[in-house]
Amino acid sequence: MGREVSESCIGSLLTEMVSTYCNRFYANKPELAARRIEAIGYQVGHQLSERYTIERPRFSDHLEAIKFICKDFWFELFKKQIDNLKTNHRGTFVLQDNRFRWLTRMSIDQSPENGTSEELSIMADNKAMQSMHLYFPCGIIRGALSNLGIPCAVSADISNLPAWLYKEIWMITPITLDHENLTFSSFDGSLVLNISFDVFFALTCNLAFTPRFICDPNKGLTRMLWGFEHTLIASLKHDNKKLAGEVIEPIQNDQKLWYM
Amino acid sequence: MIVCVAVVGHQNNPLYIQSFTDADDALKLHHIVHCSLDVVDERVNNPKKSGPTLNETFLGLLYPTENYKVYGYLTNTKVKFILVTTDLDVRDADVRNFFRRFHAAYVDAVSNPFHVPGKKITSRTFADRVSTIVQSFGLSSAV
């Protein structure tokens, strides 16, 4: 039985997540979209840190935990380790990844030396959009560290796409958010669920990183989501979980998100 | 025979307590689990630096009472697993094996995105898996 997910599927999912939250939900409020994406990452990081610390001896101090993040955790997520770790020994750590996997396929617009103000504002938009994609990995790191007992705040910076990525971590308390809902009907219409978006994304990301279903890389995101839906429904039926939203409604045609 | 298993969160909040006896002394078992938390904290804060057990997850026999033996296991995320058993000759390897499987079941239960961290585990799948593990623990040590 296959237990792998194609990387393009994860890339598509993450891109779609950012674009959904930025353009559909919080179209004019990028700060809220960023916070929501970061909260999803927090939940995913929380759960992944539980999974990846099985069979490991306990960490004796913060540095051990950060090193775990740099080596094993990063390897599980991105198939490589952090390239450089710096600290000021007073609670700030800088993790540097020279080739951040989720951004390698992202293009940047090089601005000319003497750009007009129009081009500069386009560049600023690009930069904002790129930084939006960093909130999710920041959330993952924050969730993982919080679960290991280290409250922190994480920020990220790109100096040269797709080459360098810096993250800074320092000790502050995390934040929490509330929910929104997604209507989801099975392909034969027999079951309709309302679940919150961030729960759905957390489920998807968690399933993607801890591969539990078969994914045919040729059929892409649609197939993966179909598989998710059935996994989700199967697991929910098995757990006898009743979710919010008992109204049966057909899926709207304009929710093209799930039909690609 | 395993009498009770418990999962306790990092703030000593109970996440899952399940007793496997017919007798009506569930409260007594809860009390035993609660007392064992103190022992866990003591073991963690005052480690015996002489041995190689400084940072192990498996804490071993916490303390024996008149009828029961209590074993502890502490994960990296400060979640404690407590096992109460009435067996007199329990092998160390069996208990470690039990905790390993229990940890795997716990991780799967927590990975459920509908599970709120810090609240009790309400998944029936988890309960079924735990009872399977508990029953096979009894069988293997009888061999």
Side-chain angles (χ1 to χ4, degrees):
Chain A
M1 171 149 136
R3 288 191 167 270
E4 288 176 351
V5 177
S6 82
E7 222 180 305
S8 55
C9 282
I10 298 191
S12 309
L13 174 73
L14 297 173
T15 326
E16 197 56 51
M17 170 167 71
V18 173
S19 123
T20 308
Y21 275 96
C22 289
N23 302 333
R24 282 180 62 205
F25 295 148
Y26 301 108
N28 299 322
K29 294 172 267 184
E31 309 84 28
L32 288 184
R35 278 175 59 164
R36 180 60 64 86
I37 295 174
E38 213 256 351
I40 297 177
Y42 181 86
Q43 191 175 354
V44 174
H46 202 272
Q47 294 162 348
L48 287 182
S49 68
E50 284 280 2
R51 188 171 290 275
Y52 296 149
T53 55
I54 296 186
E55 302 287 339
R56 288 188 55 91
R58 281 175 285 128
F59 303 126
S60 37
D61 61 358
H62 290 340
L63 187 58
E64 290 276 318
I66 300 271
K67 276 159 56 173
F68 161 75
I69 299 275
C70 290
K71 295 188 179 155
D72 299 309
F73 195 76
W74 215 255
F75 187 78
E76 297 279 359
L77 279 178
F78 304 114
K79 298 283 182 295
K80 65 186 285 282
Q81 297 184 354
I82 285 276
D83 297 307
N84 202 352
L85 169 68
K86 302 186 192 108
T87 175
N88 70 352
H89 295 293
R90 276 194 298 274
T92 305
F93 295 87
V94 179
L95 279 67
Q96 186 174 311
D97 187 335
N98 293 344
R99 200 181 146 72
F100 191 55
R101 227 168 155 87
W102 289 345
L103 295 180
T104 48
R105 305 261 178 259
M106 213 174 270
S107 66
I108 44 171
D109 290 331
Q110 300 286 358
S111 73
E113 285 279 320
N114 303 316
T116 64
S117 63
E118 203 178 274
E119 286 169 8
L120 282 175
S121 72
I122 292 177
M123 247 254 305
D125 282 340
N126 280 343
K127 197 95 186 155
M129 193 35 78
Q130 288 155 15
S131 58
M132 213 32 108
H133 287 267
L134 292 175
Y135 283 110
F136 185 65
C138 287
I140 291 186
I141 295 179
R142 189 167 72 86
L145 282 175
S146 304
N147 206 11
L148 297 173
I150 308 175
C152 61
V154 183
S155 76
D157 186 37
I158 315 174
S159 69
N160 193 11
L161 250 188
W164 299 74
L165 175 67
Y166 294 84
K167 289 198 201 320
E168 282 189 24
I169 305 176
W170 65 94
M171 316 294 186
I172 313 185
T173 53
I175 52 176
T176 55
L177 287 178
D178 55 351
H179 293 283
E180 255 196 38
N181 286 329
L182 158 72
T183 308
F184 210 142
S185 92
S186 64
F187 277 57
D188 59 353
S190 60
L191 180 67
V192 174
L193 308 167
N194 260 353
I195 56 178
S196 66
F197 263 103
D198 34 4
V199 167
F200 177 80
F201 281 126
L203 169 71
T204 310
C205 297
N206 211 300
L207 289 179
F209 292 122
T210 60
R212 296 181 159 268
F213 59 93
I214 301 170
C215 177
D216 182 347
N218 295 329
K219 304 232 169 82
L221 190 56
T222 316
R223 179 97 183 160
M224 177 175 84
L225 287 168
W226 184 80
F228 280 145
E229 167 208 325
H230 281 258
T231 310
L232 171 64
I233 292 172
S235 66
L236 291 171
K237 277 183 177 163
H238 189 65
D239 273 356
N240 205 24
K241 214 148 181 77
K242 194 145 198 313
L243 299 167
E246 308 79 5
V247 179
I248 307 286
E249 278 174 8
I251 218 175
Q252 315 273 348
N253 276 335
D254 61 348
Q255 289 187 4
K256 293 256 182 341
L257 176 61
W258 314 119
Y259 300 84
M260 287 160 59
Chain B
M1 220 202 53
I2 293 189
V3 177
C4 175
V5 293
V7 179
V8 182
H10 66 98
Q11 283 158 345
N12 284 346
N13 48 326
L15 295 178
Y16 182 77
I17 296 189
Q18 181 68 45
S19 53
F20 296 98
T21 53
D22 303 326
D24 201 16
D25 51 359
L27 203 57
K28 181 169 155 198
L29 295 170
H30 288 200
H31 180 249
I32 292 182
V33 168
H34 198 261
C35 294
S36 61
L37 295 179
D38 283 335
V39 183
V40 171
D41 285 335
E42 189 190 297
R43 284 274 179 99
V44 166
N45 294 332
N46 307 325
K48 300 189 287 267
K49 288 207 180 1
S50 55
T53 55
L54 183 54
N55 282 328
E56 260 205 37
T57 47
F58 177 61
L59 298 172
L61 182 65
L62 293 180
Y63 69 97
T65 66
E66 70 278 6
N67 294 329
Y68 306 115
K69 284 185 175 181
V70 181
Y71 289 89
Y73 181 98
L74 180 65
T75 69
N76 251 316
T77 54
K78 308 287 180 288
V79 173
K80 309 169 187 74
F81 301 149
I82 309 288
L83 168 70
V84 182
T85 173
T86 53
D87 277 339
L88 294 178
D89 54 347
V90 176
R91 278 179 301 164
D92 205 43
D94 283 343
V95 184
R96 282 179 193 265
N97 192 26
F98 171 88
F99 275 127
R100 195 171 42 81
R101 295 164 72 184
F102 192 74
H103 195 168
Y106 168 75
V107 164
D108 286 341
V110 163
S111 299
N112 185 354
F114 298 105
H115 170 258
V116 179
K119 294 278 195 288
K120 296 207 172 189
I121 298 177
T122 54
S123 162
R124 222 180 45 188
T125 321
F126 178 67
D128 292 340
R129 272 178 84 169
V130 167
S131 37
T132 314
I133 298 174
V134 164
Q135 276 155 16
S136 66
F137 178 84
L139 288 175
S140 67
S141 55
V143 167

